[in-house]
Amino acid sequence: MIRAWVDLNDTQRRLYAPLQEAFAGMLDHAEHHLGRLFASLDELGIRDNTLIIVVSDNGASQEGLQDGATNTDRYRNFNPETVEEMAKLLDKIGSPETDPLYPMGWSLVGNTPFKKWKQDTHLGGNTDPFIVSWPAKIKEGGAIRSQYHHLVDIVPTLLEITGLPAPTSINGVRQQPMPGVSMAYTFTDGSAKTRKPSQYYEMLGSRAIWADGWSAVAWHKKDTSWDDDKWELYHTDVDFSQNDDLAARNPEKLKEMIVLWQDEAKRNNVLPLDDRRYERAADPGRPVAALARKDYTFYPGTSVLHPLAAPQLQGQDHTITAHVEIPRNGAEGVLASFGGEFGGWSLFLKDGKLHYVHNYLKITEYELTSEKLVPVGKHMLSVHFTPTRKNVKPNYFSGDVVLAVDGEKVGELKDIKSGAMYSAMTGYGLVIGRNIGTPVSHLYKPPFRFTGELEKVTIKVSQESK
């Protein structure tokens, strides 16, 4: 149940308002820079024959939960912030020190007149503005089109207007048939009947299907049987906002739509259904772009590795080792880092000592410093993490950390917490020789490049994990 504005206390109102204002500021920022792009196209004299498509990816988000967020990685690790925690950051909302998201009440307003939110299959979850500009072909500037289309229709549209065929094979790998239908016909004929026959939806077990002006939708509650889901039926050609549920009055049509969803689900490899959310995000074995190895080697100048392309270390027994040479006048700086202000880790030298900081979701910065100075010369500077426990809701791993210089232990810290995941939305992935973006540790200011000679950084991952 979303509380009305009049039922909120003063602290909630003082918090909720700037969270929505930050969202409005982001939209204004995006609009400003789109304007710069369009002005440049005009200046180059190519605007008329440039196809521009602007679209968002989903309905307004429910991920801010009842009270909103200033650190969305807390949400992703099922550790939401309290109003009292966020109220301390009122003057920082929208700054690099926060990653804000509005409360669900604002997202309900944003999705009006539709039901539900992002991550749902009702229209509130997947109805988005789709804006097209192509002055050379589209003569009705500002006209509205009502044909039903989906994001999968964009590529077929681009293929048609460029006269290119859909690839059937890439590097010898046979491609699946291209989903979707071109919407280019709508550019010149606003009254044409939609050429799209149907479109299925599935999200975390919730389901929906649209076909010929009708839609059927079933909201799914996690960890319950899909057989218990209640299907709803709407004639969306005349009931745009899915207000009048016709399931009880037209059971045959509903049955027809459910069968169509099942057929589309089989054809598009949707099955079996999976309603896990946090478990999938927290699973170290989830599908990622990183190659699963025991050993990795990275060199200075390596491009930033996205969190899903970097070695998967959360919950894994692992050792990070920097091979360095310290000059006579000493050296300082980051050897390797992962993440940023809202969570991650950093291995670095400062004041002649080796440091490791693990930033647990901006809740705690666990700091470990070597007992002795790192002497001049060539050394192997390492940190070893041993997982000891896995916790769910909130999702985190506990573990012990050991610092070593040339294999000799120089510091130890027990029972630190590591987030189950650190998102690319709130920080960078793996970075060698510096910390770009926001700081993982507040013991230094980014980029805090390493000033000595860094030969390489190796990461060894044990096959054993907790």
Side-chain angles (χ1 to χ4, degrees):
M1 178 66 69
I2 303 299
R3 295 186 294 273
W5 186 262
V6 296
D7 295 330
L8 302 177
N9 62 42
D10 289 343
T11 303
Q12 290 171 319
R13 293 180 189 177
R14 286 191 299 112
L15 172 64
Y16 290 13
L19 288 173
Q20 179 70 354
E21 289 164 4
F23 170 70
M26 181 275 296
L27 288 182
D28 185 69
H29 176 82
E31 183 180 38
H32 169 75
H33 289 286
L34 285 172
R36 293 179 59 220
L37 171 62
F38 302 155
S40 295
L41 294 174
D42 285 333
E43 185 177 346
L44 292 170
I46 59 176
R47 171 76 179 275
D48 280 358
N49 201 32
T50 299
L51 174 66
I52 299 170
I53 296 174
V54 179
V55 62
S56 65
D57 64 340
N58 43 248
S61 173
Q62 62 179 303
E63 293 158 2
L65 305 178
Q66 291 285 351
D67 297 314
T70 64
N71 178 359
T72 56
D73 262 4
R74 291 273 299 264
Y75 164 84
R76 296 183 188 97
N77 286 273
F78 206 69
N79 190 344
E81 301 158 276
T82 66
V83 169
E84 291 71 27
E85 285 179 298
M86 292 184 283
K88 298 175 183 178
L89 301 171
L90 286 177
D91 60 341
K92 297 181 179 180
I93 289 175
S95 75
E97 295 179 60
T98 63
D99 180 53
L101 184 56
Y102 45 66
M104 289 176 71
W106 287 121
S107 59
L108 190 64
V109 173
N111 286 330
T112 301
F114 304 120
K115 300 176 182 177
K116 301 291 186 180
W117 298 271
K118 171 189 174 182
Q119 298 188 4
D120 294 321
T121 52
H122 282 75
L123 289 179
N126 53 41
T127 304
D128 302 287
F130 186 91
I131 305 169
V132 182
S133 172
W134 189 12
K137 296 292 183 180
I138 303 174
K139 304 301 182 182
E140 300 176 79
I144 295 176
R145 297 291 187 256
S146 58
Q147 293 91 346
Y148 190 98
H149 279 285
H150 184 272
L151 197 67
V152 297
D153 300 329
I154 292 180
V155 172
T157 302
L158 297 178
L159 291 175
E160 178 181 339
I161 65 178
T162 56
L164 296 173
T168 58
S169 177
I170 297 178
N171 295 330
V173 179
R174 185 170 181 81
Q175 301 298 292
Q176 295 178 349
M178 182 73 68
V181 298
S182 172
M183 64 180 82
Y185 69 96
T186 68
F187 295 172
T188 55
D189 189 353
S191 61
K193 180 180 174 60
T194 183
R195 296 180 182 177
K196 190 172 186 66
S198 65
Q199 179 62 51
Y200 83 92
Y201 297 85
E202 187 276 332
M203 184 72 185
L204 298 170
S206 292
R207 295 161 283 172
I209 184 79
W210 176 92
D212 195 26
W214 289 79
S215 64
V217 58
W219 181 80
H220 176 72
K221 183 179 180 180
K222 186 178 180 297
D223 295 328
T224 63
S225 170
W226 281 278
D227 293 336
D228 295 335
D229 293 349
K230 180 181 180 295
W231 280 91
E232 303 163 17
L233 177 69
Y234 302 98
H235 192 185
T236 45
D237 268 0
V238 297
D239 179 19
F240 180 64
S241 61
Q242 294 183 328
N243 181 63
D244 187 14
D245 183 4
L246 302 175
R249 284 170 275 171
N250 199 338
E252 291 304 315
K253 184 65 177 179
L254 177 61
K255 181 178 179 181
E256 172 191 326
M257 297 292 285
I258 294 173
V259 169
L260 178 59
W261 184 90
Q262 292 169 336
D263 291 342
E264 288 295 293
K266 291 176 183 177
R267 187 168 68 86
N268 289 281
N269 302 312
V270 177
L271 305 176
L273 293 171
D274 187 348
D275 63 359
R276 295 175 302 152
R277 178 178 305 175
Y278 307 107
E279 297 89 342
R280 277 193 272 180
D283 181 6
R286 69 191 187 282
V288 294
L291 297 176
R293 296 175 177 170
K294 294 182 179 180
D295 301 281
Y296 301 83
T297 301
F298 301 100
Y299 298 92
T302 298
S303 298
V304 178
L305 282 177
H306 186 283
L308 297 182
Q312 302 300 290
L313 304 182
Q314 272 67 47
Q316 303 292 321
D317 187 295
H318 64 272
T319 304
I320 304 165
T321 303
H323 298 251
V324 305
E325 182 170 357
I326 308 298
R328 290 187 178 277
N329 60 346
E332 66 174 7
V334 172
L335 303 167
S337 67
F338 182 96
E341 178 85 22
F342 308 99
W345 55 263
S346 181
L347 181 66
F348 59 97
L349 277 172
K350 184 181 179 184
D351 299 328
K353 293 185 176 183
L354 180 61
H355 298 256
Y356 174 79
V357 170
H358 196 108
N359 179 344
Y360 172 60
L361 298 174
K362 205 177 177 179
I363 298 172
T364 303
E365 287 189 19
Y366 295 99
E367 300 174 4
L368 178 58
T369 304
S370 63
E371 301 162 351
K372 302 177 182 178
L373 297 175
V374 178
V376 171
K378 292 187 176 182
H379 299 286
M380 293 186 295
L381 311 179
S382 65
V383 59
H384 180 80
F385 177 84
T386 303
T388 55
R389 183 167 67 94
K390 178 180 179 179
N391 193 78
V392 177
K393 295 185 180 181
N395 292 340
Y396 65 82
F397 296 96
S398 294
D400 302 332
V401 178
V402 172
L403 278 181
V405 175
D406 300 324
E408 179 185 351
K409 184 169 74 171
V410 294
E412 185 175 18
L413 188 61
K414 289 188 174 294
D415 200 33
I416 75 167
K417 288 182 179 178
S418 165
M421 65 172 294
Y422 296 121
S423 170
M425 298 181 187
T426 52
Y428 288 86
L430 180 64
V431 187
I432 304 300
R434 62 204 189 283
N435 176 173
I436 60 177
T438 57
V440 175
S441 167
H442 289 86
L443 294 177
Y444 58 76
K445 293 183 179 180
F448 200 44
R449 296 177 183 273
F450 183 59
T451 59
E453 182 178 336
L454 176 59
E455 177 191 351
K456 62 184 177 180
V457 173
T458 61
I459 298 179
K460 295 184 179 294
V461 183
S462 170
Q463 297 303 300
E464 299 295 327
S465 64
K466 295 294 180 181

